[in-house]
Amino acid sequence: MKRRITILLAALLTSAMPTPVAAQVAPAALPTLGLQNWPLPDTLSPEGKAAAAAAAAQAMPDPLPPLPDIRAFIGAMQASMGAALQKRYEVRVEEATIAGVRVRIIYPKGVSALGKGPVLLNLHGGGFAIDSGSLTETIPIAARTGLPVVAVLYRLAPENPYPAALDDALAVYQALEKERGAKQIAVFGTSAGAVLSGQLVAKLASSGRPMPAALGFLSGSADLGVRGDSESWMPGPGFDWVAAYAGKTAMTDPILSPIRGDVSKFPPTLLLTSSRDFLLSPTAIFARALTEKGVDARLVVFDGLPHAFWAYMAAPESDQANELVARFLKDRLAGAK
């Protein structure tokens, strides 16, 4: 049962707005080429191979449960998985409010307060509609960096379309910046959180604000107006996963889709994805766009694993991914001036 629930969480991480589905059904999807039947590469660890095979075999529920039920289910899973991670990594999680916005603060062992030193700002995944990562994405990073992580519990779609989530992220960022300066903040997010993290940096750049020390853009898209190649043939949501979030904002808006604007001011950025991630293409496209503008952009692609695997999959590859992210963010904070 636990294994089935974990796999379902993986599936929901790749989806966004579960309701109302009927209003958001995408054009007929192209065949996914039987990806669930493809042999997994021997480059994976045994644990990674088993988890990836289980995830590939799990179909999305049809019809999807009502959104409140999904939120409750994923909330329970975050609590359960988060408790296990807290025990493993010996961190402390605190519920708080910053700038009027609900947050979770994850304190690594030996750290008892935010203070005015370096801090990490996390924007969780979950398709803008659920919280699929404010614990599972953050606890390993806090422990591995030794730095506190502030996870923004931003307002969710469809009740709160763009720019509500961005406004919440910006409010928390500015409050943290006031205490310590931009160069002592690093921002990271997975999936929808990666999208939102890119939007936050684009918003700062457009306002002429100082850049954070680093950005962790972990399997996302910087252009919500187009679909990349990987989205056309790899399994993903069967409906438009950004429509409820974008609301009435044009997909070409340079903050909603940062690649449509000037990305030359972006901070050093680590982009993480995997070869069976339906957001492989948009993550790689954004890496190229940043590199073309002279940004220190580093793209890491794991082999054979599904979307956002590090946020829910118990495998050595998840530890490796989290270690890469933690080292990148901590090193950039240490070297920032």
Side-chain angles (χ1 to χ4, degrees), residues 243-267:
Y245 171 69
K248 297 180 180 179
T249 304
M251 298 296 184
T252 54
D253 181 274
I255 305 300
L256 186 69
S257 294
I259 206 170
R260 305 288 185 123
D262 180 9
V263 299
S264 65
K265 297 182 177 64
F266 267 57

Side-chain angles (χ1 to χ4, degrees), residues 105-108 111 113-115 117-121 142 145-150 180:
I105 305 176
I106 295 84
Y107 294 102
V111 178
L114 282 179
V119 67
L120 304 176
L121 180 69
T145 59
L147 298 172
V149 176
V150 176
R180 59 189 42 75

Side-chain angles (χ1 to χ4, degrees), residues 69-108:
D69 292 351
I70 294 177
R71 285 177 175 166
F73 176 80
I74 298 300
M77 284 307 304
Q78 278 293 300
S80 175
M81 297 172 74
L85 289 170
Q86 286 182 65
K87 183 177 180 180
R88 174 184 174 184
Y89 287 107
E90 299 183 82
V91 304
R92 180 171 65 87
V93 177
E94 175 184 291
E95 303 280 339
T97 301
I98 296 178
V101 179
R102 291 178 56 239
V103 300
R104 283 192 171 117
I105 305 176
I106 295 84
Y107 294 102

Side-chain angles (χ1 to χ4, degrees), residues 135-153:
L135 291 173
T136 57
E137 295 174 26
T138 56
I139 291 173
I141 301 301
R144 291 171 184 274
T145 59
L147 298 172
V149 176
V150 176
V152 182
L153 301 180

Side-chain angles (χ1 to χ4, degrees), residues 2-336:
K2 183 177 180 182
R3 182 182 182 189
R4 187 192 69 79
I5 292 174
T6 301
I7 296 168
L8 179 58
L9 173 59
L12 289 170
L13 277 165
T14 69
S15 65
M17 194 44 248
T19 183
V21 174
Q24 299 170 45
V25 174
L30 294 176
T32 58
L33 307 183
L35 184 62
Q36 71 276 10
N37 298 320
W38 290 11
L40 286 160
D42 291 334
T43 54
L44 292 179
S45 68
E47 300 90 340
K49 184 178 284 192
Q58 179 67 41
M60 283 291 289
D62 184 17
L64 289 171
L67 180 55
D69 292 351
I70 294 177
R71 285 177 175 166
F73 176 80
I74 298 300
M77 284 307 304
Q78 278 293 300
S80 175
M81 297 172 74
L85 289 170
Q86 286 182 65
K87 183 177 180 180
R88 174 184 174 184
Y89 287 107
E90 299 183 82
V91 304
R92 180 171 65 87
V93 177
E94 175 184 291
E95 303 280 339
T97 301
I98 296 178
V101 179
R102 291 178 56 239
V103 300
R104 283 192 171 117
I105 305 176
I106 295 84
Y107 294 102
K109 187 177 182 179
V111 178
S112 59
L114 282 179
K116 296 186 178 181
V119 67
L120 304 176
L121 180 69
N122 169 260
L123 303 170
H124 66 73
F128 308 110
I130 55 178
D131 174 4
S132 287
S134 66
L135 291 173
T136 57
E137 295 174 26
T138 56
I139 291 173
I141 301 301
R144 291 171 184 274
T145 59
L147 298 172
V149 176
V150 176
V152 182
L153 301 180
Y154 53 83
R155 286 170 288 172
L156 300 173
E159 301 94 331
N160 304 285
Y162 179 88
L166 177 57
D167 288 345
D168 290 348
L170 181 61
V172 176
Y173 177 90
Q174 289 177 327
L176 295 174
E177 181 188 23
K178 186 177 181 180
E179 292 293 326
R180 59 189 42 75
K183 291 304 180 184
Q184 293 200 74
I185 304 172
V187 179
F188 72 103
T190 292
S191 193
V195 177
L196 186 53
S197 71
Q199 292 168 350
L200 174 60
V201 173
K203 181 70 173 180
L204 295 170
S206 71
S207 305
R209 302 292 301 169
M211 289 290 100
L215 171 62
F217 189 91
L218 315 178
S219 185
S221 174
D223 190 347
L224 300 187
V226 298
R227 294 177 182 270
D229 179 61
S230 62
E231 295 166 279
S232 73
W233 62 270
M234 270 197 267
F239 45 86
D240 189 340
W241 68 285
V242 300
Y245 171 69
K248 297 180 180 179
T249 304
M251 298 296 184
T252 54
D253 181 274
I255 305 300
L256 186 69
S257 294
I259 206 170
R260 305 288 185 123
D262 180 9
V263 299
S264 65
K265 297 182 177 64
F266 267 57
T269 301
L270 174 66
L271 303 101
L272 196 64
T273 184
S274 40
S275 65
R276 297 195 183 188
D277 179 357
F278 82 102
L279 292 183
L280 168 63
S281 288
T283 304
I285 289 167
F286 190 38
R288 188 178 77 240
L290 292 171
T291 302
E292 288 172 347
K293 292 297 183 179
V295 176
D296 177 5
R298 307 185 180 193
L299 174 65
V300 176
V301 181
F302 277 76
D303 199 36
L305 292 168
H307 175 66
F309 64 89
W310 52 85
Y312 59 88
M313 189 175 285
E317 290 86 350
S318 294
D319 288 340
Q320 292 163 9
N322 284 320
E323 182 63 27
L324 283 171
V325 173
R327 189 191 323 153
F328 179 85
L329 298 178
K330 186 174 183 179
D331 287 352
R332 296 310 171 281
L333 282 165

